[in-house]
Amino acid sequence: MKDPRKMSPWIWCVLLFPLAGEVQAQVENQVVFLLGMFQNVSFSQNETVQAVVSRIPFEVAYIMLQFHTQYRNATLSYTRMPGAGLSLTAVDSGLLSHLRPTQTSLSLFLLSPDGSSVAGMGVILPYTRADPVPGACNMEFNLEIDPNVYLHYNLYETTVRFAPANIGYTRGGFPPACDVSKGSDTRWRLQYDIYQYFLPENDLSEQSLFNSIENMANVQGMTENGKLVLTLSSEDVTQAAFSSIPGQGVIYAVVVRDPVRNTSAAYVPVHTYACSFTSTMDGCLTLGMVITKVFFTITGLAGLFVCFFGHRFFKCELFCMGFGFAAFFFFVLITRTTSLNYNIRLSLTAVMGVVGGVILVMSWWRFGSVMACVVVVGLMLGFLLASIVFFTPLGDIDVFRRSDVAFWIPFCCIVVVVPLFFVRWPREGNITTCGVVGGYAVVLAVNAYVYTSLSYITLNILKRFINNNFSAAFTDVPFQTIDFIMITVWVVLCISGIVVQLYRERTRPFFPPSPYIMWRQERERRKTNVLDPSHHVPALPARFLTRVRQLTRQVEPAGEHTPLLL
């Protein structure tokens, strides 16, 4: 056998040649980009990669380099050594370069800002002189021309901001003035469309993100795949707020349109999971604290019981409804008035929920007012139905989104109107509430382990209670396979629970009597009915003393006390 080390160099060239075309790779810290083609790029600590694009057509007036990673920051720079106003560090970053009249190639630079290895995906997009220039009228951020969208999120909302654009101009030309006038030949004619794109649910993989970025990187992809949620004019503030969905990947993209020239251009899209990949506590990969899972698991089991047996075991139903009513109220109160951490807040919420459940049960036990308790149960159903109404696209109508008064008035009307039907049909209304609310409790329990958008039916209302500025946020959530499955489960639980309870209770009294009232009636009956053997039963203290004497007195042996009869 021939020693492979002594093979001819030509044979090695033949063997390796097919591999050379498969990877457009980094050679000597350089990556070659083709216009509009995505390129995977990785670089280690203290390494600077030069991104090169050549053979740029003369009709291209400017180009934009985008670079995206899943969660690690990367620095893009116009120069090999990044400087203020010449570079940007972000997870989703981009640089825009206007070309000189005879320029056919361009180089930009990528590096790691924190000394760690970075892997991501980049693309260079060309634009002509007729296309608007994203971020060319920037007065807020560091870059002179800033095509980036800046994203900030917290537990309640996600905010995106971007710099205004300018109308396009030729290579080597002077950009039109941004704020000299507001005529039809200035940047004030431009409009901004904001798009939203949801990644697959429960998928935190890097490949899923990069595939989605490819779908949303340019204008055509944004308009075909994204959902248009807002259109801004040049007179509006260039920012928008959305509801945060921890653990759910979302891409936000902005398209600037020139209605006179009928052209458009895309800003750099940004993504968020509304959680941290690097946090050791409650991060994206460990989302859902143990205490939350325990809390909602117990809630789900209680809801399943109430769904099928709530009306039969009326005291248990009242306790569960009182628990939910008090827990929601006190969680809002504790969150708004204190700065306690999440575990303590949830523990106090559970304690106050137990107190609320006991109070509702004791009020029925002592006073026997079924209607008062059923009204509380009706408020629970009314709250859930009102939340469902505003979970639909109706909740994103501007009049409800921008005005708290316009939102809360119809919301409270729905909550209050529902219990009125319980006055006419108390048993049917109570059983319906058991089915609907009990089934939703099961959905919340599932959400503690597998994300489902249905949890945001009530979570959006909770956020609006807690956060004063949440009213300006869009509350769109993705509806994917798991959500349709959970809707089916919820509907099946509702219908089956309601039908089973109505059938089982058809021959029974509407509601069980109050134990306290029954005890009082029995006591009065014993006092007045002398023929009742229980009338002659000694009082409790007398019975207690008799029992004590029996336990302490020595028992005498049985003997014969009478003479025998012959």
mmCIF file of all heavy atoms in Angstrom, residues 297-343:
data_model
loop_
_atom_site.group_PDB
_atom_site.id
_atom_site.type_symbol
_atom_site.label_atom_id
_atom_site.label_comp_id
_atom_site.label_asym_id
_atom_site.label_seq_id
_atom_site.Cartn_x
_atom_site.Cartn_y
_atom_site.Cartn_z
ATOM 1 N N THR A 297 -49.602 24.204 39.826
ATOM 2 C CA THR A 297 -49.981 22.789 39.789
ATOM 3 C C THR A 297 -51.132 22.520 40.749
ATOM 4 O O THR A 297 -52.119 21.845 40.396
ATOM 5 C CB THR A 297 -48.788 21.898 40.144
ATOM 6 O OG1 THR A 297 -47.737 22.106 39.189
ATOM 7 C CG2 THR A 297 -49.179 20.428 40.121
ATOM 8 N N ILE A 298 -51.024 23.060 41.955
ATOM 9 C CA ILE A 298 -52.123 22.914 42.922
ATOM 10 C C ILE A 298 -53.377 23.614 42.408
ATOM 11 O O ILE A 298 -54.499 23.098 42.534
ATOM 12 C CB ILE A 298 -51.701 23.482 44.288
ATOM 13 C CG1 ILE A 298 -50.529 22.665 44.858
ATOM 14 C CG2 ILE A 298 -52.858 23.473 45.265
ATOM 15 C CD1 ILE A 298 -49.951 23.230 46.131
ATOM 16 N N THR A 299 -53.193 24.791 41.805
ATOM 17 C CA THR A 299 -54.330 25.506 41.224
ATOM 18 C C THR A 299 -55.009 24.683 40.135
ATOM 19 O O THR A 299 -56.244 24.615 40.054
ATOM 20 C CB THR A 299 -53.869 26.854 40.643
ATOM 21 O OG1 THR A 299 -53.295 27.646 41.692
ATOM 22 C CG2 THR A 299 -55.027 27.613 40.015
ATOM 23 N N GLY A 300 -54.216 24.033 39.291
ATOM 24 C CA GLY A 300 -54.788 23.214 38.224
ATOM 25 C C GLY A 300 -55.549 22.009 38.749
ATOM 26 O O GLY A 300 -56.628 21.671 38.236
ATOM 27 N N LEU A 301 -55.017 21.342 39.767
ATOM 28 C CA LEU A 301 -55.718 20.205 40.351
ATOM 29 C C LEU A 301 -57.038 20.649 40.990
ATOM 30 O O LEU A 301 -58.073 19.980 40.842
ATOM 31 C CB LEU A 301 -54.821 19.518 41.385
ATOM 32 C CG LEU A 301 -53.559 18.835 40.822
ATOM 33 C CD1 LEU A 301 -52.703 18.302 41.959
ATOM 34 C CD2 LEU A 301 -53.939 17.708 39.866
ATOM 35 N N ALA A 302 -56.997 21.775 41.699
ATOM 36 C CA ALA A 302 -58.231 22.306 42.285
ATOM 37 C C ALA A 302 -59.234 22.684 41.197
ATOM 38 O O ALA A 302 -60.440 22.448 41.330
ATOM 39 C CB ALA A 302 -57.922 23.512 43.164
ATOM 40 N N GLY A 303 -58.740 23.278 40.106
ATOM 41 C CA GLY A 303 -59.626 23.640 39.003
ATOM 42 C C GLY A 303 -60.264 22.430 38.353
ATOM 43 O O GLY A 303 -61.444 22.460 37.983
ATOM 44 N N LEU A 304 -59.500 21.341 38.198
ATOM 45 C CA LEU A 304 -60.059 20.117 37.625
ATOM 46 C C LEU A 304 -61.166 19.545 38.516
ATOM 47 O O LEU A 304 -62.200 19.075 38.034
ATOM 48 C CB LEU A 304 -58.945 19.094 37.432
ATOM 49 C CG LEU A 304 -59.305 17.820 36.655
ATOM 50 C CD1 LEU A 304 -59.733 18.163 35.229
ATOM 51 C CD2 LEU A 304 -58.129 16.853 36.656
ATOM 52 N N PHE A 305 -60.963 19.606 39.835
ATOM 53 C CA PHE A 305 -61.984 19.139 40.775
ATOM 54 C C PHE A 305 -63.240 20.005 40.686
ATOM 55 O O PHE A 305 -64.367 19.501 40.625
ATOM 56 C CB PHE A 305 -61.418 19.156 42.197
ATOM 57 C CG PHE A 305 -62.403 18.767 43.256
ATOM 58 C CD1 PHE A 305 -62.652 17.439 43.541
ATOM 59 C CD2 PHE A 305 -63.101 19.737 43.967
ATOM 60 C CE1 PHE A 305 -63.576 17.073 44.515
ATOM 61 C CE2 PHE A 305 -64.022 19.394 44.939
ATOM 62 C CZ PHE A 305 -64.262 18.053 45.203
ATOM 63 N N VAL A 306 -63.052 21.325 40.659
ATOM 64 C CA VAL A 306 -64.188 22.238 40.593
ATOM 65 C C VAL A 306 -64.946 22.063 39.277
ATOM 66 O O VAL A 306 -66.176 22.166 39.237
ATOM 67 C CB VAL A 306 -63.707 23.693 40.760
ATOM 68 C CG1 VAL A 306 -64.807 24.682 40.413
ATOM 69 C CG2 VAL A 306 -63.236 23.921 42.191
ATOM 70 N N CYS A 307 -64.222 21.786 38.197
ATOM 71 C CA CYS A 307 -64.852 21.658 36.882
ATOM 72 C C CYS A 307 -65.907 20.556 36.875
ATOM 73 O O CYS A 307 -66.956 20.708 36.236
ATOM 74 C CB CYS A 307 -63.768 21.387 35.833
ATOM 75 S SG CYS A 307 -64.384 21.273 34.137
ATOM 76 N N PHE A 308 -65.663 19.450 37.584
ATOM 77 C CA PHE A 308 -66.578 18.313 37.531
ATOM 78 C C PHE A 308 -67.384 18.107 38.825
ATOM 79 O O PHE A 308 -68.428 17.462 38.791
ATOM 80 C CB PHE A 308 -65.802 17.037 37.217
ATOM 81 C CG PHE A 308 -65.287 16.977 35.813
ATOM 82 C CD1 PHE A 308 -63.991 17.374 35.510
ATOM 83 C CD2 PHE A 308 -66.094 16.542 34.775
ATOM 84 C CE1 PHE A 308 -63.509 17.325 34.213
ATOM 85 C CE2 PHE A 308 -65.625 16.486 33.479
ATOM 86 C CZ PHE A 308 -64.333 16.883 33.190
ATOM 87 N N PHE A 309 -66.903 18.623 39.950
ATOM 88 C CA PHE A 309 -67.566 18.350 41.228
ATOM 89 C C PHE A 309 -67.822 19.618 42.046
ATOM 90 O O PHE A 309 -68.188 19.519 43.210
ATOM 91 C CB PHE A 309 -66.727 17.384 42.075
ATOM 92 C CG PHE A 309 -66.400 16.103 41.375
ATOM 93 C CD1 PHE A 309 -65.150 15.921 40.785
ATOM 94 C CD2 PHE A 309 -67.328 15.085 41.281
ATOM 95 C CE1 PHE A 309 -64.838 14.747 40.140
ATOM 96 C CE2 PHE A 309 -67.032 13.895 40.636
ATOM 97 C CZ PHE A 309 -65.779 13.729 40.052
ATOM 98 N N GLY A 310 -67.641 20.784 41.457
ATOM 99 C CA GLY A 310 -67.724 22.012 42.231
ATOM 100 C C GLY A 310 -69.083 22.245 42.864
ATOM 101 O O GLY A 310 -69.182 22.591 44.046
ATOM 102 N N HIS A 311 -70.168 22.059 42.106
ATOM 103 C CA HIS A 311 -71.492 22.342 42.649
ATOM 104 C C HIS A 311 -71.903 21.323 43.716
ATOM 105 O O HIS A 311 -72.595 21.674 44.680
ATOM 106 C CB HIS A 311 -72.525 22.366 41.521
ATOM 107 C CG HIS A 311 -73.851 22.924 41.938
ATOM 108 N ND1 HIS A 311 -74.061 24.273 42.121
ATOM 109 C CD2 HIS A 311 -75.040 22.322 42.230
ATOM 110 C CE1 HIS A 311 -75.310 24.486 42.487
ATOM 111 N NE2 HIS A 311 -75.926 23.310 42.571
ATOM 112 N N ARG A 312 -71.498 20.056 43.527
ATOM 113 C CA ARG A 312 -71.844 19.040 44.527
ATOM 114 C C ARG A 312 -71.147 19.334 45.849
ATOM 115 O O ARG A 312 -71.752 19.257 46.922
ATOM 116 C CB ARG A 312 -71.447 17.652 44.000
ATOM 117 C CG ARG A 312 -71.545 16.531 45.029
ATOM 118 C CD ARG A 312 -72.970 16.289 45.480
ATOM 119 N NE ARG A 312 -73.798 15.771 44.406
ATOM 120 C CZ ARG A 312 -73.928 14.463 44.144
ATOM 121 N NH1 ARG A 312 -73.278 13.579 44.882
ATOM 122 N NH2 ARG A 312 -74.708 14.076 43.173
ATOM 123 N N PHE A 313 -69.867 19.686 45.795
ATOM 124 C CA PHE A 313 -69.110 20.036 47.001
ATOM 125 C C PHE A 313 -69.024 21.570 47.054
ATOM 126 O O PHE A 313 -68.011 22.168 46.698
ATOM 127 C CB PHE A 313 -67.727 19.396 46.972
ATOM 128 C CG PHE A 313 -67.775 17.895 46.911
ATOM 129 C CD1 PHE A 313 -67.756 17.229 45.698
ATOM 130 C CD2 PHE A 313 -67.864 17.150 48.082
ATOM 131 C CE1 PHE A 313 -67.804 15.845 45.640
ATOM 132 C CE2 PHE A 313 -67.919 15.762 48.038
ATOM 133 C CZ PHE A 313 -67.894 15.109 46.817
ATOM 134 N N PHE A 314 -70.134 22.159 47.479
ATOM 135 C CA PHE A 314 -70.292 23.605 47.380
ATOM 136 C C PHE A 314 -69.266 24.352 48.228
ATOM 137 O O PHE A 314 -68.755 25.401 47.825
ATOM 138 C CB PHE A 314 -71.716 23.982 47.803
ATOM 139 C CG PHE A 314 -72.079 25.405 47.491
ATOM 140 C CD1 PHE A 314 -72.043 25.878 46.195
ATOM 141 C CD2 PHE A 314 -72.457 26.281 48.502
ATOM 142 C CE1 PHE A 314 -72.380 27.184 45.894
ATOM 143 C CE2 PHE A 314 -72.791 27.591 48.215
ATOM 144 C CZ PHE A 314 -72.758 28.034 46.903
ATOM 145 N N LYS A 315 -68.956 23.828 49.406
ATOM 146 C CA LYS A 315 -67.978 24.513 50.276
ATOM 147 C C LYS A 315 -66.599 24.534 49.613
ATOM 148 O O LYS A 315 -65.889 25.535 49.685
ATOM 149 C CB LYS A 315 -67.915 23.815 51.640
ATOM 150 C CG LYS A 315 -69.160 23.965 52.481
ATOM 151 C CD LYS A 315 -68.977 23.431 53.874
ATOM 152 C CE LYS A 315 -68.881 21.921 53.892
ATOM 153 N NZ LYS A 315 -70.150 21.276 53.512
ATOM 154 N N CYS A 316 -66.209 23.437 48.980
ATOM 155 C CA CYS A 316 -64.912 23.405 48.288
ATOM 156 C C CYS A 316 -64.884 24.401 47.136
ATOM 157 O O CYS A 316 -63.878 25.086 46.902
ATOM 158 C CB CYS A 316 -64.629 21.996 47.777
ATOM 159 S SG CYS A 316 -64.449 20.750 49.066
ATOM 160 N N GLU A 317 -65.999 24.487 46.403
ATOM 161 C CA GLU A 317 -66.057 25.455 45.306
ATOM 162 C C GLU A 317 -65.914 26.883 45.816
ATOM 163 O O GLU A 317 -65.155 27.685 45.253
ATOM 164 C CB GLU A 317 -67.372 25.305 44.557
ATOM 165 C CG GLU A 317 -67.522 26.311 43.426
ATOM 166 C CD GLU A 317 -68.967 26.620 43.101
ATOM 167 O OE1 GLU A 317 -69.836 25.804 43.435
ATOM 168 O OE2 GLU A 317 -69.230 27.690 42.517
ATOM 169 N N LEU A 318 -66.650 27.203 46.888
ATOM 170 C CA LEU A 318 -66.557 28.553 47.436
ATOM 171 C C LEU A 318 -65.144 28.867 47.897
ATOM 172 O O LEU A 318 -64.650 29.986 47.698
ATOM 173 C CB LEU A 318 -67.542 28.715 48.592
ATOM 174 C CG LEU A 318 -69.029 28.761 48.230
ATOM 175 C CD1 LEU A 318 -69.865 28.957 49.491
ATOM 176 C CD2 LEU A 318 -69.315 29.874 47.233
ATOM 177 N N PHE A 319 -64.482 27.887 48.510
ATOM 178 C CA PHE A 319 -63.105 28.128 48.953
ATOM 179 C C PHE A 319 -62.202 28.427 47.757
ATOM 180 O O PHE A 319 -61.387 29.354 47.799
ATOM 181 C CB PHE A 319 -62.586 26.920 49.729
ATOM 182 C CG PHE A 319 -61.144 27.055 50.147
ATOM 183 C CD1 PHE A 319 -60.811 27.764 51.288
ATOM 184 C CD2 PHE A 319 -60.130 26.489 49.385
ATOM 185 C CE1 PHE A 319 -59.488 27.910 51.663
ATOM 186 C CE2 PHE A 319 -58.808 26.628 49.752
ATOM 187 C CZ PHE A 319 -58.482 27.340 50.906
ATOM 188 N N CYS A 320 -62.318 27.651 46.681
ATOM 189 C CA CYS A 320 -61.464 27.863 45.507
ATOM 190 C C CYS A 320 -61.744 29.213 44.859
ATOM 191 O O CYS A 320 -60.806 29.938 44.470
ATOM 192 C CB CYS A 320 -61.680 26.736 44.498
ATOM 193 S SG CYS A 320 -61.111 25.116 45.057
ATOM 194 N N MET A 321 -63.013 29.582 44.735
ATOM 195 C CA MET A 321 -63.345 30.873 44.130
ATOM 196 C C MET A 321 -62.880 32.027 45.016
ATOM 197 O O MET A 321 -62.358 33.038 44.528
ATOM 198 C CB MET A 321 -64.848 30.967 43.883
ATOM 199 C CG MET A 321 -65.376 29.958 42.874
ATOM 200 S SD MET A 321 -64.641 30.199 41.234
ATOM 201 C CE MET A 321 -65.350 28.795 40.358
ATOM 202 N N GLY A 322 -63.089 31.901 46.328
ATOM 203 C CA GLY A 322 -62.601 32.935 47.238
ATOM 204 C C GLY A 322 -61.102 33.041 47.224
ATOM 205 O O GLY A 322 -60.529 34.141 47.300
ATOM 206 N N PHE A 323 -60.429 31.896 47.086
ATOM 207 C CA PHE A 323 -58.967 31.897 46.994
ATOM 208 C C PHE A 323 -58.508 32.674 45.760
ATOM 209 O O PHE A 323 -57.629 33.537 45.839
ATOM 210 C CB PHE A 323 -58.461 30.460 46.932
ATOM 211 C CG PHE A 323 -56.968 30.342 46.808
ATOM 212 C CD1 PHE A 323 -56.174 30.216 47.933
ATOM 213 C CD2 PHE A 323 -56.352 30.362 45.564
ATOM 214 C CE1 PHE A 323 -54.803 30.106 47.822
ATOM 215 C CE2 PHE A 323 -54.981 30.256 45.432
ATOM 216 C CZ PHE A 323 -54.196 30.131 46.582
ATOM 217 N N GLY A 324 -59.103 32.369 44.588
ATOM 218 C CA GLY A 324 -58.705 33.056 43.358
ATOM 219 C C GLY A 324 -58.990 34.544 43.406
ATOM 220 O O GLY A 324 -58.159 35.364 42.983
ATOM 221 N N PHE A 325 -60.143 34.918 43.937
ATOM 222 C CA PHE A 325 -60.525 36.329 44.021
ATOM 223 C C PHE A 325 -59.554 37.099 44.915
ATOM 224 O O PHE A 325 -59.033 38.159 44.540
ATOM 225 C CB PHE A 325 -61.953 36.431 44.561
ATOM 226 C CG PHE A 325 -62.550 37.804 44.483
ATOM 227 C CD1 PHE A 325 -63.250 38.203 43.365
ATOM 228 C CD2 PHE A 325 -62.410 38.696 45.532
ATOM 229 C CE1 PHE A 325 -63.803 39.470 43.287
ATOM 230 C CE2 PHE A 325 -62.949 39.965 45.465
ATOM 231 C CZ PHE A 325 -63.654 40.354 44.341
ATOM 232 N N ALA A 326 -59.294 36.560 46.112
ATOM 233 C CA ALA A 326 -58.413 37.255 47.057
ATOM 234 C C ALA A 326 -56.959 37.230 46.599
ATOM 235 O O ALA A 326 -56.227 38.212 46.768
ATOM 236 C CB ALA A 326 -58.543 36.622 48.446
ATOM 237 N N ALA A 327 -56.511 36.113 46.006
ATOM 238 C CA ALA A 327 -55.121 36.011 45.568
ATOM 239 C C ALA A 327 -54.810 37.047 44.492
ATOM 240 O O ALA A 327 -53.770 37.716 44.533
ATOM 241 C CB ALA A 327 -54.842 34.600 45.055
ATOM 242 N N PHE A 328 -55.700 37.195 43.522
ATOM 243 C CA PHE A 328 -55.470 38.180 42.458
ATOM 244 C C PHE A 328 -55.427 39.590 43.039
ATOM 245 O O PHE A 328 -54.526 40.383 42.717
ATOM 246 C CB PHE A 328 -56.583 38.068 41.417
ATOM 247 C CG PHE A 328 -56.351 38.915 40.194
ATOM 248 C CD1 PHE A 328 -55.702 38.387 39.096
ATOM 249 C CD2 PHE A 328 -56.768 40.237 40.140
ATOM 250 C CE1 PHE A 328 -55.479 39.169 37.964
ATOM 251 C CE2 PHE A 328 -56.555 41.019 39.023
ATOM 252 C CZ PHE A 328 -55.907 40.476 37.928
ATOM 253 N N PHE A 329 -56.378 39.908 43.907
ATOM 254 C CA PHE A 329 -56.445 41.257 44.474
ATOM 255 C C PHE A 329 -55.190 41.580 45.285
ATOM 256 O O PHE A 329 -54.586 42.654 45.122
ATOM 257 C CB PHE A 329 -57.691 41.377 45.354
ATOM 258 C CG PHE A 329 -57.791 42.692 46.087
ATOM 259 C CD1 PHE A 329 -58.253 43.828 45.449
ATOM 260 C CD2 PHE A 329 -57.408 42.789 47.417
ATOM 261 C CE1 PHE A 329 -58.335 45.042 46.114
ATOM 262 C CE2 PHE A 329 -57.485 43.989 48.094
ATOM 263 C CZ PHE A 329 -57.956 45.123 47.445
ATOM 264 N N PHE A 330 -54.770 40.658 46.136
ATOM 265 C CA PHE A 330 -53.635 40.959 47.009
ATOM 266 C C PHE A 330 -52.302 40.885 46.274
ATOM 267 O O PHE A 330 -51.350 41.561 46.665
ATOM 268 C CB PHE A 330 -53.642 40.015 48.216
ATOM 269 C CG PHE A 330 -54.598 40.440 49.294
ATOM 270 C CD1 PHE A 330 -55.842 39.846 49.405
ATOM 271 C CD2 PHE A 330 -54.270 41.461 50.171
ATOM 272 C CE1 PHE A 330 -56.741 40.244 50.386
ATOM 273 C CE2 PHE A 330 -55.152 41.867 51.157
ATOM 274 C CZ PHE A 330 -56.395 41.255 51.262
ATOM 275 N N PHE A 331 -52.198 40.093 45.194
ATOM 276 C CA PHE A 331 -50.961 40.115 44.420
ATOM 277 C C PHE A 331 -50.760 41.486 43.787
ATOM 278 O O PHE A 331 -49.645 42.030 43.780
ATOM 279 C CB PHE A 331 -50.983 39.040 43.342
ATOM 280 C CG PHE A 331 -49.699 38.938 42.575
ATOM 281 C CD1 PHE A 331 -48.626 38.225 43.084
ATOM 282 C CD2 PHE A 331 -49.543 39.571 41.347
ATOM 283 C CE1 PHE A 331 -47.432 38.134 42.384
ATOM 284 C CE2 PHE A 331 -48.359 39.498 40.641
ATOM 285 C CZ PHE A 331 -47.300 38.774 41.170
ATOM 286 N N VAL A 332 -51.837 42.057 43.244
ATOM 287 C CA VAL A 332 -51.746 43.412 42.679
ATOM 288 C C VAL A 332 -51.397 44.414 43.776
ATOM 289 O O VAL A 332 -50.521 45.275 43.593
ATOM 290 C CB VAL A 332 -53.068 43.795 41.993
ATOM 291 C CG1 VAL A 332 -53.044 45.257 41.560
ATOM 292 C CG2 VAL A 332 -53.326 42.900 40.796
ATOM 293 N N LEU A 333 -52.061 44.317 44.921
ATOM 294 C CA LEU A 333 -51.826 45.264 46.008
ATOM 295 C C LEU A 333 -50.402 45.167 46.532
ATOM 296 O O LEU A 333 -49.725 46.191 46.723
ATOM 297 C CB LEU A 333 -52.826 45.000 47.140
ATOM 298 C CG LEU A 333 -52.746 45.936 48.354
ATOM 299 C CD1 LEU A 333 -53.081 47.362 47.948
ATOM 300 C CD2 LEU A 333 -53.687 45.457 49.458
ATOM 301 N N ILE A 334 -49.915 43.954 46.753
ATOM 302 C CA ILE A 334 -48.556 43.768 47.285
ATOM 303 C C ILE A 334 -47.514 44.240 46.284
ATOM 304 O O ILE A 334 -46.525 44.894 46.649
ATOM 305 C CB ILE A 334 -48.338 42.287 47.657
ATOM 306 C CG1 ILE A 334 -49.242 41.887 48.831
ATOM 307 C CG2 ILE A 334 -46.883 42.035 48.023
ATOM 308 C CD1 ILE A 334 -49.254 40.397 49.104
ATOM 309 N N THR A 335 -47.734 43.952 45.006
ATOM 310 C CA THR A 335 -46.750 44.342 43.984
ATOM 311 C C THR A 335 -46.679 45.855 43.826
ATOM 312 O O THR A 335 -45.595 46.419 43.649
ATOM 313 C CB THR A 335 -47.103 43.685 42.643
ATOM 314 O OG1 THR A 335 -47.147 42.258 42.805
ATOM 315 C CG2 THR A 335 -46.072 44.030 41.578
ATOM 316 N N ARG A 336 -47.808 46.520 43.881
ATOM 317 C CA ARG A 336 -47.824 47.973 43.684
ATOM 318 C C ARG A 336 -47.341 48.746 44.903
ATOM 319 O O ARG A 336 -46.879 49.884 44.770
ATOM 320 C CB ARG A 336 -49.232 48.442 43.312
ATOM 321 C CG ARG A 336 -49.686 48.007 41.930
ATOM 322 C CD ARG A 336 -50.987 48.706 41.565
ATOM 323 N NE ARG A 336 -50.783 50.140 41.402
ATOM 324 C CZ ARG A 336 -50.556 50.753 40.249
ATOM 325 N NH1 ARG A 336 -50.496 50.050 39.137
ATOM 326 N NH2 ARG A 336 -50.398 52.056 40.196
ATOM 327 N N THR A 337 -47.430 48.179 46.090
ATOM 328 C CA THR A 337 -47.106 48.934 47.306
ATOM 329 C C THR A 337 -45.809 48.506 47.971
ATOM 330 O O THR A 337 -45.352 49.187 48.887
ATOM 331 C CB THR A 337 -48.247 48.795 48.330
ATOM 332 O OG1 THR A 337 -48.468 47.408 48.623
ATOM 333 C CG2 THR A 337 -49.534 49.399 47.781
ATOM 334 N N THR A 338 -45.212 47.402 47.530
ATOM 335 C CA THR A 338 -43.967 46.938 48.151
ATOM 336 C C THR A 338 -42.950 46.599 47.082
ATOM 337 O O THR A 338 -43.279 46.513 45.889
ATOM 338 C CB THR A 338 -44.218 45.695 49.038
ATOM 339 O OG1 THR A 338 -44.569 44.580 48.198
ATOM 340 C CG2 THR A 338 -45.330 45.939 50.040
ATOM 341 N N SER A 339 -41.729 46.381 47.520
ATOM 342 C CA SER A 339 -40.648 45.969 46.621
ATOM 343 C C SER A 339 -40.125 44.588 47.001
ATOM 344 O O SER A 339 -38.941 44.287 46.823
ATOM 345 C CB SER A 339 -39.504 46.991 46.665
ATOM 346 O OG SER A 339 -39.021 47.143 47.992
ATOM 347 N N LEU A 340 -40.984 43.744 47.540
ATOM 348 C CA LEU A 340 -40.579 42.397 47.939
ATOM 349 C C LEU A 340 -40.231 41.569 46.711
ATOM 350 O O LEU A 340 -40.742 41.815 45.604
ATOM 351 C CB LEU A 340 -41.710 41.724 48.710
ATOM 352 C CG LEU A 340 -42.154 42.414 50.014
ATOM 353 C CD1 LEU A 340 -43.373 41.710 50.589
ATOM 354 C CD2 LEU A 340 -41.008 42.418 51.026
ATOM 355 N N ASN A 341 -39.356 40.556 46.906
ATOM 356 C CA ASN A 341 -39.015 39.711 45.773
ATOM 357 C C ASN A 341 -40.171 38.774 45.432
ATOM 358 O O ASN A 341 -41.139 38.635 46.178
ATOM 359 C CB ASN A 341 -37.729 38.921 46.044
ATOM 360 C CG ASN A 341 -37.887 37.924 47.185
ATOM 361 O OD1 ASN A 341 -38.837 37.156 47.241
ATOM 362 N ND2 ASN A 341 -36.933 37.927 48.106
ATOM 363 N N TYR A 342 -40.032 38.115 44.300
ATOM 364 C CA TYR A 342 -41.151 37.351 43.733
ATOM 365 C C TYR A 342 -41.586 36.210 44.653
ATOM 366 O O TYR A 342 -42.788 35.975 44.832
ATOM 367 C CB TYR A 342 -40.734 36.797 42.375
ATOM 368 C CG TYR A 342 -41.774 35.925 41.722
ATOM 369 C CD1 TYR A 342 -42.896 36.471 41.113
ATOM 370 C CD2 TYR A 342 -41.637 34.538 41.725
ATOM 371 C CE1 TYR A 342 -43.851 35.666 40.515
ATOM 372 C CE2 TYR A 342 -42.587 33.726 41.132
ATOM 373 C CZ TYR A 342 -43.690 34.303 40.530
ATOM 374 O OH TYR A 342 -44.635 33.501 39.947
ATOM 375 N N ASN A 343 -40.654 35.490 45.239
ATOM 376 C CA ASN A 343 -41.012 34.351 46.080
ATOM 377 C C ASN A 343 -41.852 34.779 47.283
ATOM 378 O O ASN A 343 -42.843 34.130 47.630
ATOM 379 C CB ASN A 343 -39.750 33.634 46.564
ATOM 380 C CG ASN A 343 -39.055 32.881 45.448
ATOM 381 O OD1 ASN A 343 -39.666 32.596 44.418
ATOM 382 N ND2 ASN A 343 -37.790 32.562 45.631
#
